[in-house]
Amino acid sequence: MGGDEARQSLLSEHSNEKNDLDRRKPNGNGSEKEINLKGQNGSEKALYPQCIDAKPQAEFHFRAVFLWLAAYLGGGSICFLLTDNEIKGIKTNEFLDAIYFCVVTMTTVGYGDLVPDSQVSKLLACIYVFTGMALVGLILSKAADYIVEKQEIILVKTLFKGANFGPEELSKEVETNKAKYKFILTASIFLVLMIAGTIFLYFIENLDFVDALYCVCSTVTTLGYGDKSFSTTVGRAFAVFWILSSTICLAQSFAYLAELYTEKRRRSLAKMVLARKLSLLDLEAADLDGDHVVSATEFVLYKLKEMGKISQEDILVVMEIFRQLDFDQSGTLTEADLR
């Protein structure tokens, strides 16, 4: 009789565990079932994990980027077109020169082939150089980063074309080496832009190879010495797009290179922390609640702190929120605490 009761108890526990797992399994359509949490009074409350865990995705809209860029170039072109007689230098088409001057100003290339020659035009140039730098730094660089992230998966597919990688493996590879693939992609695009600019200057602007390369290098690094620049109508039409894309591409390449270096250092630190043997001092430091026993949670938090993933301030802030929610001071959160 006692054996039957024990067997029945085990079956009941197994059934409860199965039901608990079933509540956490996703449905056939990919969505998760609702999870029931029991409060102290035994009542159940349905929670939808997709609602709780859903993180707001910051959407990027290219329309806003184009509008800002059009407003800057349009407004600047009109202003510098109206003050065309107050700008001296090598001129081609009035409207094209105005757009070209805006791009050279916003990217801080500043060749000197077109320069303000009156107080009004100089004040306009002062305004447009700062607004242009802000536009490049805050909006256009973000747009470039968004485009690069979208193209990362294509790059990985190309690099691992012979390997039998599924979508999950590709996504994991991209996520693991995000900075590396960003740098490879931007550096490759930048190299293409360098070659295109050199070829264009050689054939269209009739510069020799060294001068063409010299002009390209002084442009993309925004040095803009000014002794070599775009002086033809076709050249300046090309320069409007080329200068903007090449300078932003170089800036993004250096940003991704710095990110890659930081990521490698972080991984090296993580490996060192995880490989280091635990000492008694570590146990004392990991014992957050001072009960002379280190739980799995305390151990994870301690290692994350060592790896620089989180700080003591982060833990204190989260613990303070927990204490505020723990209304009955039981050390756990229940449905009753949330009421």
Side-chain angles (χ1 to χ4, degrees), residues 60 65 68 130-145 248 252:
F60 191 85
V65 175
W68 277 105
F130 283 110
T131 53
M133 290 175 68
L135 181 66
V136 171
L138 299 177
I139 299 176
L140 297 184
S141 295
K142 188 177 178 182
D145 187 57
I248 292 175
Q252 291 298 108

Side-chain angles (χ1 to χ4, degrees), residues 120-135:
V120 174
S121 59
K122 287 177 181 178
L123 286 174
L124 283 173
C126 291
I127 294 171
Y128 267 83
V129 69
F130 283 110
T131 53
M133 290 175 68
L135 181 66

Side-chain angles (χ1 to χ4, degrees), residues 119-303:
Q119 291 185 346
V120 174
S121 59
K122 287 177 181 178
L123 286 174
L124 283 173
C126 291
I127 294 171
Y128 267 83
V129 69
F130 283 110
T131 53
M133 290 175 68
L135 181 66
V136 171
L138 299 177
I139 299 176
L140 297 184
S141 295
K142 188 177 178 182
D145 187 57
Y146 179 83
I147 293 170
V148 168
E149 285 191 355
K150 290 296 182 184
Q151 302 305 314
E152 273 183 301
I153 193 69
I154 299 174
L155 175 64
V156 175
K157 283 181 179 179
T158 305
L159 292 175
F160 295 94
K161 194 173 183 180
N164 294 323
F165 273 24
E168 291 184 4
E169 288 84 358
L170 285 173
S171 298
K172 186 177 180 181
E173 176 65 22
V174 169
E175 193 62 34
T176 304
N177 300 291
K178 183 180 284 291
K180 182 179 78 172
Y181 292 124
K182 279 184 175 182
F183 174 70
I184 291 173
L185 187 59
T186 51
S188 301
I189 296 172
F190 176 69
L191 182 61
V192 171
L193 289 170
M194 286 275 291
I195 295 170
T198 305
I199 292 173
F200 187 90
L201 286 164
Y202 180 81
F203 286 103
I204 305 301
E205 294 289 335
N206 296 319
L207 300 180
D208 60 47
F209 177 75
V210 174
D211 284 343
L213 182 61
Y214 164 76
C215 181
V216 165
C217 291
S218 64
T219 300
V220 297
T221 55
T222 70
L223 284 172
Y225 289 123
D227 51 341
K228 302 295 178 185
S229 62
F230 297 87
S231 56
T232 64
T233 303
V234 177
R236 287 187 175 176
F238 171 79
V240 166
F241 301 98
W242 181 81
I243 292 175
L244 198 57
S245 56
S246 59
T247 51
I248 292 175
C249 192
L250 179 61
Q252 291 298 108
S253 297
F254 280 119
Y256 295 145
L257 183 62
E259 186 181 335
L260 179 61
Y261 174 73
T262 304
E263 187 178 286
K264 284 187 175 180
R265 287 197 60 184
R266 191 184 298 118
R267 288 183 182 178
S268 177
L269 176 63
K271 286 181 180 179
M272 183 185 71
V273 168
L274 294 174
R276 189 173 63 83
K277 292 182 68 176
L278 212 63
S279 66
L280 292 175
L281 290 176
D282 291 321
L283 286 176
E284 291 179 9
D287 185 16
L288 296 177
D289 55 6
D291 61 351
H292 305 291
V293 176
V294 177
S295 66
T297 303
E298 289 174 326
F299 180 76
V300 169
L301 288 174
Y302 178 68
K303 285 297 181 182

Side-chain angles (χ1 to χ4, degrees), residues 17-36:
E17 290 178 2
K18 185 176 182 300
N19 291 335
D20 186 56
L21 287 172
D22 286 341
R23 284 196 298 270
R24 287 163 172 79
K25 285 182 180 178
N27 290 328
N29 58 4
S31 61
E32 294 184 356
K33 289 183 178 180
E34 62 185 41
I35 296 175
N36 296 319

